[in-house]
Amino acid sequence: MTRRGWMALGLCAALAAVVGFSFWQDRTAPKAYTATWWDVFDTVTVVTGYASSEEEWQQQSQAIHDDLLHYHQLFDIYNTYDALTNMATVNAKAGQEPVTVDADLFALLQFGKQAYDLTDGACNIAAGTVLSLWHDARTAAEAASPETALTADILPAGDALQQAAEHMDMDDLVLDEGACTVQFADPDLQLDVGGIAKGWAVEQAAQKAEARGLTSAILNVGGNVRAIGKKPDGSRWTAGVQDPDGEEYLAQVSLEPGQSLVVSGDYQRYFTVDGVRYHHLIDLSALQPARYCRSVAILCTDSGIGDALSTGLFCLPQAQGQTVLAKVEGASALWVLEGDVLLPSDGWPQ
């Protein structure tokens, strides 16, 4: 073979090696996958992430779902489950005797006390007696015929709300860390962990996924968004703040690894009477749905704290909310007022 022939053969071999290497890279490069569930925390959950194979993604996403489903059942105040002492069990028994609970439920209740202090009492897991009256009204409204105009009779009575408010003292929630027990000093106390449970669960599930080796994903559990790492190309995951009256986004943020965006708003769970919207976020100082804003978005490094802050700040005047927000280093907020007026705190991304 001539020298030119050997050169051509060598060039072909080199090209083949490059093509072969590229093909190998393409087959092993992380690919994007998405999983969607409807059976945790009564909302839609969407998890998007990257994995080297569908098998790996199935393992990772199934583990996330299993963790979230466990927390959903553990923190459920309406249903009991076989062989599980959950929030419904605690509410039924802790007014009569100490109830032994598992470490996760105990940790959530400890966090609930911290959230109460953090938010100046606006996020109060001990307010179940009041919140249940509003929950019952929403349930009745949802069950009514769409053709039937709702009247004020469906709203909780003022005297019933006042009586319920006598049984929401956080000091009556007695936690014994050594024994891992829960007891109510007030037998009529009832817990409602809806203001913190979802965010706390998202944070725990994300941390467990990271420990299992998941390096690039974003969890969105009904408005609680948590980033795991970055995308394979080095770009950050993004999340948006929805227009309360539409599907568009009023603001978008890029999330650092481990960062969360949590939004609370009056457009998620509500019913209307005589043109007035009655939603699920209750101002406990007035015992009525909060009217300070349309939504509050929190950007911080812990989804549980983000959930507590979004609930609390929604139910506080903005000036007081700013003071509460300043207690959490690195946290920022965006208030959405009527007419899509945006009020960002210091530190909110511009």
Side-chain angles (χ1 to χ4, degrees), residues 106 109-111 113 173-178 181-183:
F106 194 86
L109 296 180
Q110 286 182 312
F111 177 67
K113 282 183 171 282
L173 172 58
V174 181
L175 303 179
D176 185 330
E177 188 169 7
T181 60
V182 184
Q183 188 171 16

Side-chain angles (χ1 to χ4, degrees), residues 180-202:
C180 207
T181 60
V182 184
Q183 188 171 16
F184 302 158
D186 176 1
D188 292 321
L189 181 75
Q190 289 287 278
L191 299 179
D192 185 327
V193 294
I196 61 170
K198 189 167 55 174
W200 192 91
V202 169

Side-chain angles (χ1 to χ4, degrees), residues 16-246:
V18 171
V19 171
F21 180 68
S22 299
F23 177 71
W24 178 81
Q25 278 188 316
D26 290 342
R27 292 188 63 185
T28 59
K31 296 180 177 64
Y33 299 92
T34 297
T36 303
W37 310 299
W38 296 88
D39 59 345
V40 293
F41 294 102
D42 301 318
T43 189
V44 59
T45 295
V46 180
V47 179
T48 298
Y50 287 85
S52 60
S53 67
E54 184 172 358
E55 180 182 8
E56 179 191 350
W57 172 250
Q58 291 295 335
Q59 292 174 348
Q60 289 283 7
S61 61
Q62 185 62 49
I64 292 173
H65 176 262
D66 290 347
D67 286 336
L68 290 174
L69 185 60
H70 166 70
Y71 294 130
H72 165 82
Q73 295 178 349
L74 192 62
F75 305 151
D76 191 342
I77 66 173
Y78 303 110
N79 303 287
T80 58
Y81 301 89
D82 291 341
L84 180 67
T85 298
N86 71 347
M87 280 301 314
T89 313
V90 170
N91 274 341
K93 296 182 177 180
Q96 291 76 46
E97 60 184 2
V99 178
T100 303
V101 298
D102 77 359
D104 283 332
L105 183 48
F106 194 86
L108 178 80
L109 296 180
Q110 286 182 312
F111 177 67
K113 282 183 171 282
Q114 297 168 10
Y116 178 85
D117 294 336
L118 172 65
T119 62
D120 295 346
C123 181
N124 183 0
I125 65 170
T129 50
V130 171
L131 299 180
S132 67
L133 294 177
W134 284 106
H135 175 270
D136 291 345
R138 287 195 308 277
T139 301
E142 291 169 359
S145 169
E147 292 78 23
T148 302
L150 300 178
T151 66
D153 293 342
I154 205 169
L155 302 175
D159 57 349
L161 287 168
Q162 291 294 337
Q163 291 173 12
E166 296 176 2
H167 305 288
M168 60 178 198
D169 189 337
M170 182 61 78
D171 289 338
D172 289 329
L173 172 58
V174 181
L175 303 179
D176 185 330
E177 188 169 7
C180 207
T181 60
V182 184
Q183 188 171 16
F184 302 158
D186 176 1
D188 292 321
L189 181 75
Q190 289 287 278
L191 299 179
D192 185 327
V193 294
I196 61 170
K198 189 167 55 174
W200 192 91
V202 169
E203 184 63 30
Q204 300 306 308
Q207 290 183 14
K208 289 183 177 182
E210 290 168 335
R212 286 190 293 264
L214 187 60
T215 59
S216 179
I218 186 167
L219 285 65
N220 185 345
V221 185
N224 289 68
V225 180
R226 179 19 165 103
I228 294 177
K230 295 182 179 181
K231 297 179 183 179
D233 64 3
S235 63
R236 290 185 287 180
W237 295 100
T238 60
V241 179
Q242 185 178 333
D243 182 343
D245 293 318

